[in-house]
Protein backbone atom coordinates (compact mmCIF):
# COMPACT_ATOMS: atom_id res chain seq x y z
CA UNK A 1 0.00 0.00 0.00
CA UNK A 2 2.80 2.41 0.86
CA UNK A 3 4.46 1.70 -2.49
CA UNK A 4 1.18 2.45 -4.28
CA UNK A 5 0.80 5.78 -2.49
CA UNK A 6 4.44 6.65 -3.13
CA UNK A 7 4.19 5.91 -6.85
CA UNK A 8 0.79 7.45 -7.64
CA UNK A 9 -0.16 9.87 -4.84
CA UNK A 10 3.14 11.49 -3.87
CA UNK A 11 2.07 14.99 -2.84
CA UNK A 12 5.63 16.29 -2.73
CA UNK A 13 6.22 15.38 -6.38
CA UNK A 14 2.83 16.78 -7.34
CA UNK A 15 3.76 20.07 -5.69
CA UNK A 16 7.12 20.20 -7.45
CA UNK A 17 5.57 19.45 -10.84
CA UNK A 18 2.54 21.70 -10.42
CA UNK A 19 4.02 24.79 -12.19
CA UNK A 20 4.79 22.78 -15.34
CA UNK A 21 1.44 21.02 -15.20
CA UNK A 22 -0.34 24.37 -14.92
CA UNK A 23 1.55 25.60 -17.98
CA UNK A 24 0.19 22.57 -19.81
CA UNK A 25 -3.30 23.38 -18.50
CA UNK A 26 -2.96 26.87 -20.02
CA UNK A 27 -2.07 25.34 -23.39
CA UNK A 28 -5.04 22.97 -23.12
CA UNK A 29 -7.34 25.91 -22.39
CA UNK A 30 -6.01 27.80 -25.41
CA UNK A 31 -6.56 24.74 -27.60
CA UNK A 32 -10.14 24.44 -26.36
CA UNK A 33 -10.81 28.13 -27.00
CA UNK A 34 -9.58 27.59 -30.55
CA UNK A 35 -11.03 24.17 -31.38
CA UNK A 36 -14.49 24.29 -29.78
CA UNK A 37 -15.77 27.46 -31.53
CA UNK A 38 -14.32 26.25 -34.85
CA UNK A 39 -15.97 22.87 -34.37
CA UNK A 40 -19.34 24.40 -33.48
CA UNK A 41 -19.25 26.69 -36.52
CA UNK A 42 -18.03 23.93 -38.84
CA UNK A 43 -20.62 21.53 -37.48
CA UNK A 44 -23.42 23.99 -38.21
CA UNK A 45 -22.10 24.42 -41.75
CA UNK A 46 -21.98 20.63 -42.22
CA UNK A 47 -25.53 20.29 -40.89
CA UNK A 48 -26.95 22.96 -43.17
CA UNK A 49 -25.16 21.51 -46.18
CA UNK A 50 -26.45 18.02 -45.36
CA UNK A 51 -30.00 19.43 -45.44
CA UNK A 52 -29.54 21.46 -48.64
CA UNK A 53 -31.96 21.06 -51.53
CA UNK A 54 -29.18 20.12 -53.94
CA UNK A 55 -28.63 16.37 -53.91
CA UNK A 56 -24.95 16.78 -54.83
CA UNK A 57 -24.33 19.16 -51.91
CA UNK A 58 -26.18 16.85 -49.50
CA UNK A 59 -24.15 13.83 -50.55
CA UNK A 60 -20.88 15.76 -50.38
CA UNK A 61 -21.70 16.87 -46.84
CA UNK A 62 -22.75 13.38 -45.76
CA UNK A 63 -19.59 11.83 -47.21
CA UNK A 64 -17.45 14.44 -45.44
CA UNK A 65 -19.20 13.86 -42.12
CA UNK A 66 -18.95 10.08 -42.39
CA UNK A 67 -15.28 10.15 -43.42
CA UNK A 68 -14.14 12.45 -40.63
CA UNK A 69 -16.17 10.53 -38.07
CA UNK A 70 -14.79 7.21 -39.25
CA UNK A 71 -11.11 8.20 -39.27
CA UNK A 72 -9.60 8.12 -35.74
CA UNK A 73 -8.63 11.66 -34.67
CA UNK A 74 -5.11 10.48 -33.84
CA UNK A 75 -4.64 9.19 -37.40
CA UNK A 76 -6.06 12.44 -38.76
CA UNK A 77 -3.67 14.48 -36.63
CA UNK A 78 -0.65 12.46 -37.73
CA UNK A 79 -1.72 12.77 -41.37
CA UNK A 80 -2.08 16.56 -41.14
CA UNK A 81 1.16 17.06 -39.22
CA UNK A 82 3.37 14.52 -41.01
CA UNK A 83 1.62 14.11 -44.36
CA UNK A 84 1.08 17.69 -45.48
CA UNK A 85 4.85 18.47 -45.60
CA UNK A 86 5.07 16.04 -48.56
CA UNK A 87 2.66 18.40 -50.36
CA UNK A 88 4.85 21.39 -49.54
CA UNK A 89 2.74 22.52 -46.57
CA UNK A 90 4.48 22.53 -43.20
CA UNK A 91 1.95 23.34 -40.47
CA UNK A 92 3.05 24.16 -36.96
CA UNK A 93 1.98 21.82 -34.17
CA UNK A 94 -0.79 24.20 -33.12
CA UNK A 95 -2.06 24.57 -36.70
CA UNK A 96 -2.01 20.80 -37.27
CA UNK A 97 -3.98 20.19 -34.08
CA UNK A 98 -6.48 22.94 -34.96
CA UNK A 99 -7.06 21.58 -38.48
CA UNK A 100 -7.32 17.93 -37.44
CA UNK A 101 -9.62 18.66 -34.53
CA UNK A 102 -11.71 21.04 -36.64
CA UNK A 103 -12.38 18.29 -39.18
CA UNK A 104 -13.11 15.68 -36.52
CA UNK A 105 -15.24 17.75 -34.16
CA UNK A 106 -17.15 19.46 -36.97
CA UNK A 107 -18.39 16.10 -38.19
CA UNK A 108 -19.74 15.14 -34.76
CA UNK A 109 -21.25 18.56 -34.07
CA UNK A 110 -22.76 18.46 -37.57
CA UNK A 111 -24.66 15.25 -36.84
CA UNK A 112 -25.92 16.70 -33.56
CA UNK A 113 -27.10 19.90 -35.25
CA UNK A 114 -28.76 17.93 -38.06
CA UNK A 115 -30.69 15.81 -35.57
CA UNK A 116 -31.77 18.95 -33.75
CA UNK A 117 -32.99 20.66 -36.91
CA UNK A 118 -34.90 17.56 -38.01
CA UNK A 119 -36.51 17.34 -34.55
CA UNK A 120 -38.30 20.64 -35.21
CA UNK A 121 -41.59 19.86 -36.93
CA UNK A 122 -42.59 21.14 -40.36
CA UNK A 123 -45.34 23.10 -38.64
CA UNK A 124 -42.74 25.49 -37.23
CA UNK A 125 -41.44 26.22 -40.73
CA UNK A 126 -45.00 26.77 -41.97
CA UNK A 127 -45.85 29.02 -39.02
CA UNK A 128 -42.72 31.11 -39.65
CA UNK A 129 -43.58 31.39 -43.36
CA UNK A 130 -47.12 32.49 -42.50
CA UNK A 131 -45.70 35.48 -40.61
CA UNK A 132 -43.77 36.57 -43.69
CA UNK A 133 -40.35 35.23 -42.74
CA UNK A 134 -38.16 33.98 -45.56
CA UNK A 135 -36.54 30.57 -45.44
CA UNK A 136 -33.22 31.67 -43.96
CA UNK A 137 -35.00 33.95 -41.47
CA UNK A 138 -37.21 31.07 -40.32
CA UNK A 139 -34.09 28.96 -39.88
CA UNK A 140 -32.22 31.58 -37.85
CA UNK A 141 -35.02 32.97 -35.71
CA UNK A 142 -37.42 30.03 -35.32
CA UNK A 143 -35.89 26.65 -36.11
CA UNK A 144 -32.28 26.89 -34.91
CA UNK A 145 -33.11 28.16 -31.38
CA UNK A 146 -35.48 25.22 -30.88
CA UNK A 147 -33.06 22.76 -32.48
CA UNK A 148 -30.16 23.84 -30.26
CA UNK A 149 -32.36 23.63 -27.17
CA UNK A 150 -33.38 20.08 -28.11
CA UNK A 151 -29.80 18.88 -28.54
CA UNK A 152 -28.07 21.04 -25.94
CA UNK A 153 -27.19 18.05 -23.69
CA UNK A 154 -25.55 16.33 -26.65
CA UNK A 155 -23.63 19.48 -27.57
CA UNK A 156 -22.33 19.77 -24.00
CA UNK A 157 -21.41 16.07 -23.84
CA UNK A 158 -19.55 16.30 -27.15
CA UNK A 159 -17.72 19.41 -25.95
CA UNK A 160 -16.53 17.45 -22.90
CA UNK A 161 -15.16 14.83 -25.31
CA UNK A 162 -13.40 17.56 -27.30
CA UNK A 163 -11.63 18.79 -24.16
CA UNK A 164 -10.44 15.26 -23.43
CA UNK A 165 -9.45 14.88 -27.08
CA UNK A 166 -6.87 17.66 -26.71
CA UNK A 167 -4.71 15.18 -24.81
CA UNK A 168 -3.65 13.53 -28.08
CA UNK A 169 -1.94 16.80 -29.09
CA UNK A 170 1.00 15.41 -27.14
CA UNK A 171 1.71 13.20 -30.18
CA UNK A 172 3.03 16.27 -32.03
CA UNK A 173 4.94 17.46 -28.93
CA UNK A 174 2.46 20.21 -28.14
CA UNK A 175 2.88 20.79 -24.38
CA UNK A 176 -0.73 20.49 -23.29
CA UNK A 177 -1.82 19.21 -19.88
CA UNK A 178 -1.11 15.50 -20.35
CA UNK A 179 2.18 16.11 -22.18
CA UNK A 180 3.41 18.39 -19.38
CA UNK A 181 2.39 15.88 -16.71
CA UNK A 182 4.18 13.13 -18.61
CA UNK A 183 7.31 15.27 -18.81
CA UNK A 184 7.29 15.58 -15.01
CA UNK A 185 6.70 11.83 -14.73
CA UNK A 186 9.73 11.11 -16.92
CA UNK A 187 11.90 13.47 -14.89
CA UNK A 188 10.83 12.07 -11.52
CA UNK A 189 10.20 8.43 -12.50
CA UNK A 190 6.94 8.77 -10.59
CA UNK A 191 3.35 8.60 -11.90
CA UNK A 192 1.89 11.09 -9.43
CA UNK A 193 1.89 13.96 -12.00
CA UNK A 194 -0.35 11.86 -14.28
CA UNK A 195 -2.78 11.43 -11.39
CA UNK A 196 -2.62 15.19 -10.83
CA UNK A 197 -3.49 15.81 -14.49
CA UNK A 198 -6.40 13.35 -14.23
CA UNK A 199 -7.66 15.21 -11.15
CA UNK A 200 -7.51 18.52 -13.03
CA UNK A 201 -9.50 17.03 -15.91
CA UNK A 202 -12.05 15.74 -13.39
CA UNK A 203 -12.43 19.12 -11.69
CA UNK A 204 -12.79 20.89 -15.04
CA UNK A 205 -15.22 18.53 -16.70
CA UNK A 206 -17.37 17.06 -13.91
CA UNK A 207 -19.66 20.17 -13.68
CA UNK A 208 -20.34 19.97 -17.42
CA UNK A 209 -21.11 16.25 -17.19
CA UNK A 210 -23.62 16.93 -14.43
CA UNK A 211 -25.09 19.86 -16.40
CA UNK A 212 -25.61 17.64 -19.46
CA UNK A 213 -27.33 15.00 -17.32
CA UNK A 214 -29.58 17.60 -15.72
CA UNK A 215 -30.58 19.04 -19.10
CA UNK A 216 -31.30 15.56 -20.46
CA UNK A 217 -33.70 14.89 -17.60
CA UNK A 218 -35.34 18.29 -17.97
CA UNK A 219 -35.87 17.87 -21.71
CA UNK A 220 -37.17 14.32 -21.19
CA UNK A 221 -39.86 15.60 -18.80
Amino acid sequence: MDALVEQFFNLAIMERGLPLVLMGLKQTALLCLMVIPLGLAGGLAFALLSLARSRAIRWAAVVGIDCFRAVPPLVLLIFVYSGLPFAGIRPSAVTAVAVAFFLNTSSYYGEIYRAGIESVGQGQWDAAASTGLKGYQALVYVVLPQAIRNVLPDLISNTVEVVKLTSIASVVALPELLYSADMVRSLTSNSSPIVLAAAIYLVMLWPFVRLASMLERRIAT
Side-chain angles (χ1 to χ4, degrees):
M1 186 65 181
D2 290 341
L4 178 67
V5 172
E6 177 67 22
Q7 181 63 29
F8 293 97
F9 301 97
N10 191 313
L11 297 181
I13 290 180
M14 287 184 182
E15 183 179 0
R16 284 164 49 195
L18 184 60
L20 185 58
V21 172
L22 290 179
M23 288 178 61
L25 175 60
K26 180 180 179 181
Q27 182 66 64
T28 293
L30 291 174
L31 280 177
C32 292
L33 290 175
M34 181 190 309
V35 170
I36 292 173
L38 285 175
L40 288 168
L44 182 58
F46 265 135
L48 295 178
L49 291 174
S50 67
L51 297 171
R53 293 182 179 179
S54 170
R55 192 171 186 178
I57 294 176
R58 287 202 311 272
W59 274 105
V62 169
V63 169
I65 290 174
D66 288 348
C67 285
F68 294 129
R69 290 178 70 196
V71 176
L74 180 57
V75 174
L76 192 58
L77 175 57
I78 293 173
F79 175 79
V80 172
Y81 185 72
S82 302
L84 289 183
F86 289 96
I89 303 173
R90 299 184 178 277
S92 65
V94 173
T95 301
V97 170
V99 171
F101 286 7
F102 166 73
L103 296 174
N104 178 263
T105 59
S106 293
S107 62
Y108 282 95
Y109 280 128
E111 279 295 278
I112 294 172
Y113 279 127
R114 182 191 59 77
I117 293 172
E118 291 182 342
S119 71
V120 179
Q122 182 61 38
Q124 296 295 314
W125 291 92
D126 296 338
S130 69
T131 64
L133 293 178
K134 297 180 180 179
Y136 72 91
Q137 292 175 320
L139 176 67
V140 173
Y141 296 116
V142 178
V143 176
L144 271 183
Q146 296 182 68
I148 292 174
R149 182 194 62 191
N150 292 342
V151 296
L152 188 57
D154 296 315
L155 288 174
I156 294 174
S157 296
N158 195 71
T159 300
V160 170
E161 295 301 318
V162 172
V163 176
K164 292 189 289 185
L165 185 67
T166 59
S167 62
I168 70 172
S170 59
V171 171
V172 293
L174 193 64
E176 44 71 55
L177 177 56
L178 182 61
Y179 182 90
S180 300
D182 192 52
M183 286 291 293
V184 180
R185 181 202 59 77
S186 65
L187 291 172
T188 60
S189 300
N190 189 285
S191 298
S192 298
I194 302 296
V195 176
L196 176 61
I200 292 174
Y201 276 118
L202 177 63
V203 171
M204 283 195 306
L205 299 179
W206 183 78
F208 295 99
V209 172
R210 296 309 310 153
L211 176 61
S213 298
M214 181 186 69
L215 290 174
E216 286 176 355
R217 289 195 298 271
R218 181 172 296 180
I219 291 174
T221 56

